[in-house]
Amino acid sequence: MRSLKIYYLNRRRLRMDDFYRAFLAPGDLAFDIGSHVGDRVGSFRRIGARVLAVEPQPALVRTLRWLYGRDPRVRIEAAAVGRASGRGQLRLNRANPTVSTLSSGFIAAARDAPGWEAQHWDGAIEVDCTRLDDLIERHGMPRFIKIDVEGYEAEVIGGLTRPVDALSFEFTTIQKDVGRCALAECSRLGYSQFNAVLGESYVFVHDVWLDASAIGRWLDVLPHTANSGDIYARRVD
Protein backbone atom coordinates (compact mmCIF):
# COMPACT_ATOMS: atom_id res chain seq x y z
CA MET A 1 0.00 0.00 0.00
CA ARG A 2 2.87 2.37 0.77
CA SER A 3 4.33 1.76 -2.69
CA LEU A 4 0.97 2.28 -4.39
CA LYS A 5 0.54 5.62 -2.62
CA ILE A 6 4.05 6.74 -3.56
CA TYR A 7 3.89 5.73 -7.22
CA TYR A 8 0.24 6.34 -8.11
CA LEU A 9 -1.10 9.14 -5.87
CA ASN A 10 0.91 11.95 -7.43
CA ARG A 11 0.75 14.46 -10.26
CA ARG A 12 3.70 13.29 -12.34
CA ARG A 13 1.76 11.12 -14.82
CA LEU A 14 1.59 13.67 -17.62
CA ARG A 15 5.30 14.48 -17.27
CA MET A 16 6.16 10.77 -17.28
CA ASP A 17 4.04 10.06 -20.35
CA ASP A 18 5.48 13.02 -22.30
CA PHE A 19 9.00 11.86 -21.43
CA TYR A 20 8.54 8.26 -22.59
CA ARG A 21 6.93 9.29 -25.88
CA ALA A 22 10.49 10.00 -27.02
CA PHE A 23 11.09 6.24 -26.87
CA LEU A 24 7.71 4.62 -27.52
CA ALA A 25 4.80 5.01 -29.91
CA PRO A 26 1.40 3.29 -30.00
CA GLY A 27 1.79 -0.39 -30.83
CA ASP A 28 5.46 -0.60 -29.80
CA LEU A 29 6.58 -3.25 -27.32
CA ALA A 30 8.28 -2.20 -24.06
CA PHE A 31 9.93 -4.37 -21.41
CA ASP A 32 9.63 -3.18 -17.79
CA ILE A 33 12.32 -5.12 -15.89
CA GLY A 34 11.76 -4.72 -12.18
CA SER A 35 8.17 -3.51 -12.51
CA HIS A 36 7.49 -3.11 -8.77
CA VAL A 37 3.87 -1.84 -8.65
CA GLY A 38 3.79 -0.97 -12.34
CA ASP A 39 3.72 2.82 -12.58
CA ARG A 40 5.85 2.58 -15.74
CA VAL A 41 3.51 -0.09 -17.08
CA GLY A 42 0.69 2.40 -16.67
CA SER A 43 2.63 5.11 -18.48
CA PHE A 44 3.60 2.85 -21.38
CA ARG A 45 -0.02 1.73 -21.75
CA ARG A 46 -1.31 5.32 -21.74
CA ILE A 47 1.08 5.95 -24.63
CA GLY A 48 -0.49 2.96 -26.39
CA ALA A 49 2.47 0.57 -26.19
CA ARG A 50 2.30 -3.13 -25.40
CA VAL A 51 4.15 -4.08 -22.21
CA LEU A 52 5.95 -7.07 -20.74
CA ALA A 53 6.18 -6.54 -16.97
CA VAL A 54 8.81 -8.65 -15.20
CA GLU A 55 8.92 -8.76 -11.39
CA PRO A 56 10.19 -11.48 -8.99
CA GLN A 57 8.47 -10.48 -5.72
CA PRO A 58 5.29 -12.55 -5.25
CA ALA A 59 3.34 -9.80 -3.47
CA LEU A 60 4.16 -7.32 -6.23
CA VAL A 61 3.31 -9.84 -8.95
CA ARG A 62 -0.11 -10.19 -7.35
CA THR A 63 -0.45 -6.41 -7.37
CA LEU A 64 0.52 -6.22 -11.05
CA ARG A 65 -2.03 -8.89 -11.93
CA TRP A 66 -4.68 -7.02 -9.94
CA LEU A 67 -3.91 -3.77 -11.73
CA TYR A 68 -3.13 -5.00 -15.26
CA GLY A 69 -4.03 -8.68 -15.47
CA ARG A 70 -7.19 -7.98 -17.48
CA ASP A 71 -5.36 -5.86 -20.05
CA PRO A 72 -4.67 -8.04 -23.13
CA ARG A 73 -1.75 -5.80 -24.11
CA VAL A 74 0.11 -6.40 -20.84
CA ARG A 75 1.96 -9.62 -20.11
CA ILE A 76 3.36 -10.34 -16.66
CA GLU A 77 6.24 -12.70 -15.86
CA ALA A 78 7.08 -13.64 -12.27
CA ALA A 79 10.87 -13.81 -12.56
CA ALA A 80 14.14 -12.02 -11.97
CA VAL A 81 16.38 -11.15 -14.90
CA GLY A 82 20.13 -11.58 -15.07
CA ARG A 83 23.09 -12.82 -17.07
CA ALA A 84 21.97 -16.47 -16.93
CA SER A 85 18.75 -18.45 -16.58
CA GLY A 86 18.16 -20.61 -13.51
CA ARG A 87 17.39 -19.80 -9.89
CA GLY A 88 18.55 -16.98 -7.65
CA GLN A 89 18.19 -15.73 -4.09
CA LEU A 90 16.18 -12.54 -3.79
CA ARG A 91 16.91 -10.61 -0.58
CA LEU A 92 13.73 -8.96 0.65
CA ASN A 93 13.28 -5.61 2.32
CA ARG A 94 9.75 -6.06 3.62
CA ALA A 95 9.40 -2.49 4.87
CA ASN A 96 10.58 -1.06 1.53
CA PRO A 97 10.15 -3.67 -1.23
CA THR A 98 11.41 -1.16 -3.78
CA VAL A 99 14.98 -2.07 -2.77
CA SER A 100 14.69 -5.86 -2.60
CA THR A 101 17.59 -7.23 -4.62
CA LEU A 102 19.58 -10.16 -5.99
CA SER A 103 22.80 -8.23 -5.42
CA SER A 104 24.73 -8.89 -2.21
CA GLY A 105 27.03 -6.06 -3.28
CA PHE A 106 24.13 -3.63 -3.23
CA ILE A 107 23.28 -4.59 0.35
CA ALA A 108 26.93 -4.27 1.38
CA ALA A 109 27.19 -0.83 -0.23
CA ALA A 110 24.02 0.34 1.52
CA ARG A 111 25.28 -0.76 4.94
CA ASP A 112 26.29 2.37 6.88
CA ALA A 113 25.91 4.59 3.81
CA PRO A 114 24.45 8.02 4.62
CA GLY A 115 20.73 8.03 3.92
CA TRP A 116 20.45 4.24 3.92
CA GLU A 117 20.58 3.63 7.67
CA ALA A 118 16.91 2.65 7.92
CA GLN A 119 17.09 -0.04 5.25
CA HIS A 120 17.12 -3.67 6.38
CA TRP A 121 16.95 -6.83 4.29
CA ASP A 122 15.07 -9.18 6.56
CA GLY A 123 14.14 -12.12 4.36
CA ALA A 124 15.08 -14.13 1.30
CA ILE A 125 13.29 -16.30 -1.26
CA GLU A 126 14.38 -18.42 -4.20
CA VAL A 127 13.10 -17.07 -7.53
CA ASP A 128 13.24 -18.04 -11.18
CA CYS A 129 15.80 -16.13 -13.25
CA THR A 130 15.74 -15.52 -16.97
CA ARG A 131 17.68 -13.46 -19.53
CA LEU A 132 16.66 -10.59 -21.75
CA ASP A 133 17.49 -12.76 -24.75
CA ASP A 134 15.06 -15.40 -23.47
CA LEU A 135 12.33 -12.80 -22.97
CA ILE A 136 12.84 -11.51 -26.50
CA GLU A 137 12.59 -15.07 -27.81
CA ARG A 138 9.26 -15.53 -26.02
CA HIS A 139 7.66 -12.11 -26.47
CA GLY A 140 9.34 -10.39 -29.40
CA MET A 141 11.80 -7.55 -29.86
CA PRO A 142 10.95 -4.48 -27.76
CA ARG A 143 11.66 -0.95 -28.86
CA PHE A 144 12.55 0.13 -25.31
CA ILE A 145 13.68 -1.66 -22.12
CA LYS A 146 13.50 -0.08 -18.67
CA ILE A 147 15.75 -1.75 -16.06
CA ASP A 148 15.48 -1.02 -12.33
CA VAL A 149 16.81 -3.93 -10.28
CA GLU A 150 18.76 -2.48 -7.34
CA GLY A 151 22.41 -3.05 -8.14
CA TYR A 152 21.87 -5.88 -10.64
CA GLU A 153 21.60 -3.69 -13.74
CA ALA A 154 24.88 -4.73 -15.37
CA GLU A 155 23.94 -8.39 -14.93
CA VAL A 156 20.62 -7.79 -16.68
CA ILE A 157 22.24 -6.04 -19.65
CA GLY A 158 24.85 -8.82 -19.72
CA GLY A 159 22.06 -11.21 -20.72
CA LEU A 160 21.32 -9.23 -23.90
CA THR A 161 23.09 -9.94 -27.20
CA ARG A 162 20.76 -8.12 -29.62
CA PRO A 163 20.47 -4.39 -28.92
CA VAL A 164 17.06 -2.74 -28.94
CA ASP A 165 16.53 0.86 -30.04
CA ALA A 166 16.95 2.26 -26.51
CA LEU A 167 17.12 1.22 -22.88
CA SER A 168 17.45 2.76 -19.45
CA PHE A 169 19.08 1.47 -16.29
CA GLU A 170 19.00 2.77 -12.74
CA PHE A 171 22.19 3.86 -10.98
CA THR A 172 22.88 4.76 -7.36
CA THR A 173 25.66 6.89 -5.94
CA ILE A 174 26.50 4.16 -3.42
CA GLN A 175 27.37 1.82 -6.32
CA LYS A 176 28.83 3.90 -9.10
CA ASP A 177 30.92 0.88 -10.12
CA VAL A 178 27.72 -0.92 -11.15
CA GLY A 179 26.77 2.06 -13.30
CA ARG A 180 30.17 1.96 -15.00
CA CYS A 181 29.83 -1.78 -15.62
CA ALA A 182 26.36 -1.23 -17.10
CA LEU A 183 27.80 1.46 -19.39
CA ALA A 184 30.47 -1.00 -20.54
CA GLU A 185 27.76 -3.55 -21.35
CA CYS A 186 25.89 -0.89 -23.33
CA SER A 187 29.03 -0.06 -25.29
CA ARG A 188 29.50 -3.77 -26.03
CA LEU A 189 26.03 -3.78 -27.58
CA GLY A 190 26.79 -0.76 -29.75
CA TYR A 191 24.99 2.01 -27.89
CA SER A 192 26.73 5.29 -28.62
CA GLN A 193 24.58 8.05 -27.11
CA PHE A 194 23.73 8.50 -23.44
CA ASN A 195 21.81 10.87 -21.20
CA ALA A 196 20.61 10.81 -17.61
CA VAL A 197 17.70 11.69 -15.35
CA LEU A 198 18.07 12.33 -11.62
CA GLY A 199 15.49 10.83 -9.29
CA GLU A 200 11.95 10.90 -10.68
CA SER A 201 12.32 14.25 -12.45
CA TYR A 202 11.76 12.98 -16.03
CA VAL A 203 14.02 15.76 -17.26
CA PHE A 204 17.31 15.03 -18.98
CA VAL A 205 20.35 16.40 -17.15
CA HIS A 206 22.25 17.14 -20.38
CA ASP A 207 21.06 19.30 -23.26
CA VAL A 208 22.83 17.02 -25.73
CA TRP A 209 23.43 13.26 -25.71
CA LEU A 210 26.93 12.22 -24.64
CA ASP A 211 29.23 9.35 -25.50
CA ALA A 212 29.97 6.60 -22.97
CA SER A 213 33.18 8.22 -21.71
CA ALA A 214 31.52 11.57 -21.07
CA ILE A 215 28.51 10.14 -19.24
CA GLY A 216 30.90 8.00 -17.22
CA ARG A 217 32.87 11.07 -16.14
CA TRP A 218 29.62 12.78 -15.17
CA LEU A 219 28.67 9.78 -13.04
CA ASP A 220 32.09 9.71 -11.39
CA VAL A 221 31.78 13.27 -10.05
CA LEU A 222 28.10 13.08 -9.13
CA PRO A 223 27.74 13.92 -5.42
CA HIS A 224 26.48 11.25 -3.02
CA THR A 225 23.45 13.42 -2.22
CA ALA A 226 22.13 12.88 -5.76
CA ASN A 227 21.30 9.35 -4.55
CA SER A 228 19.95 7.75 -7.72
CA GLY A 229 18.69 8.20 -11.23
CA ASP A 230 18.56 6.52 -14.61
CA ILE A 231 20.96 6.49 -17.53
CA TYR A 232 19.42 6.23 -20.99
CA ALA A 233 21.22 4.64 -23.91
CA ARG A 234 20.24 4.78 -27.56
CA ARG A 235 21.62 3.54 -30.85
CA VAL A 236 22.33 5.74 -33.85
CA ASP A 237 22.07 3.91 -37.16
Side-chain angles (χ1 to χ4, degrees), residues 7 52 78 87 89 102 207 216 219 224 233:
Y7 290 101
L52 171 66
R87 299 281 288 175
Q89 185 182 67
L102 269 76
D207 293 333
L219 179 62
H224 175 78

Side-chain angles (χ1 to χ4, degrees), residues 5 14 16 37 47 68 76 82 92 103 106 151 163 170 187 203 208 212 233:
K5 289 178 181 177
L14 290 177
M16 185 192 306
V37 292
I47 292 169
Y68 301 108
I76 300 167
L92 299 175
S103 172
F106 178 78
E170 188 189 40
S187 295
V203 176
V208 297

Side-chain angles (χ1 to χ4, degrees), residues 2-220:
R2 175 178 177 273
S3 293
L4 287 170
K5 289 178 181 177
I6 291 172
Y7 290 101
Y8 283 95
L9 298 182
N10 57 66
R11 299 182 179 180
R12 63 182 182 173
R13 286 189 175 192
L14 290 177
R15 187 167 71 247
M16 185 192 306
D17 297 354
D18 287 344
F19 179 83
Y20 281 117
R21 284 190 179 95
F23 301 98
L24 290 167
D28 287 340
L29 175 62
F31 285 5
D32 184 359
I33 308 301
S35 293
H36 194 51
V37 292
D39 60 317
R40 300 306 201 287
V41 177
S43 179
F44 299 162
R45 286 297 296 120
R46 290 191 295 273
I47 292 169
R50 297 171 292 125
V51 186
L52 171 66
V54 186
E55 170 59 50
Q57 298 184 69
L60 299 184
V61 172
R62 290 192 294 271
T63 301
L64 290 168
R65 288 174 176 159
W66 174 62
L67 290 169
Y68 301 108
R70 292 178 295 277
D71 187 335
R73 296 175 72 91
V74 176
R75 295 182 179 180
I76 300 167
E77 284 214 16
V81 182
R83 196 177 294 271
S85 300
R87 299 281 288 175
Q89 185 182 67
L90 181 69
R91 297 287 300 278
L92 299 175
N93 185 322
R94 292 189 176 95
N96 186 13
T98 305
V99 295
S100 295
T101 181
L102 269 76
S103 172
S104 58
F106 178 78
I107 295 173
R111 189 177 298 121
D112 301 324
W116 290 81
E117 297 87 351
Q119 302 303 320
H120 302 285
W121 287 263
D122 53 358
I125 57 173
E126 291 290 316
V127 297
D128 290 328
C129 296
T130 188
R131 301 179 305 154
L132 285 175
D133 276 357
D134 299 329
L135 295 173
I136 290 171
E137 192 68 28
R138 292 196 291 272
H139 299 280
M141 179 66 77
R143 186 178 177 193
F144 177 73
I145 302 175
K146 165 253 172 185
I147 303 165
D148 183 351
V149 289
E150 312 311 315
Y152 216 62
E153 287 77 13
E155 296 299 306
V156 172
I157 303 171
L160 180 65
T161 59
R162 294 171 285 176
V164 304
D165 284 354
L167 61 79
S168 69
F169 63 87
E170 188 189 40
F171 67 86
T172 63
T173 54
I174 62 170
Q175 268 197 316
K176 290 183 179 181
D177 56 324
V178 172
R180 287 190 290 268
C181 288
L183 283 172
E185 293 288 356
C186 288
S187 295
R188 169 185 62 81
L189 290 164
Y191 293 103
S192 58
Q193 294 190 343
F194 301 86
N195 214 322
V197 169
L198 291 176
E200 301 287 337
S201 65
Y202 299 104
V203 176
F204 281 128
V205 172
H206 306 285
D207 293 333
V208 297
W209 289 70
L210 308 177
D211 62 21
S213 296
I215 201 75
R217 291 192 296 271
W218 170 82
L219 179 62
D220 286 341

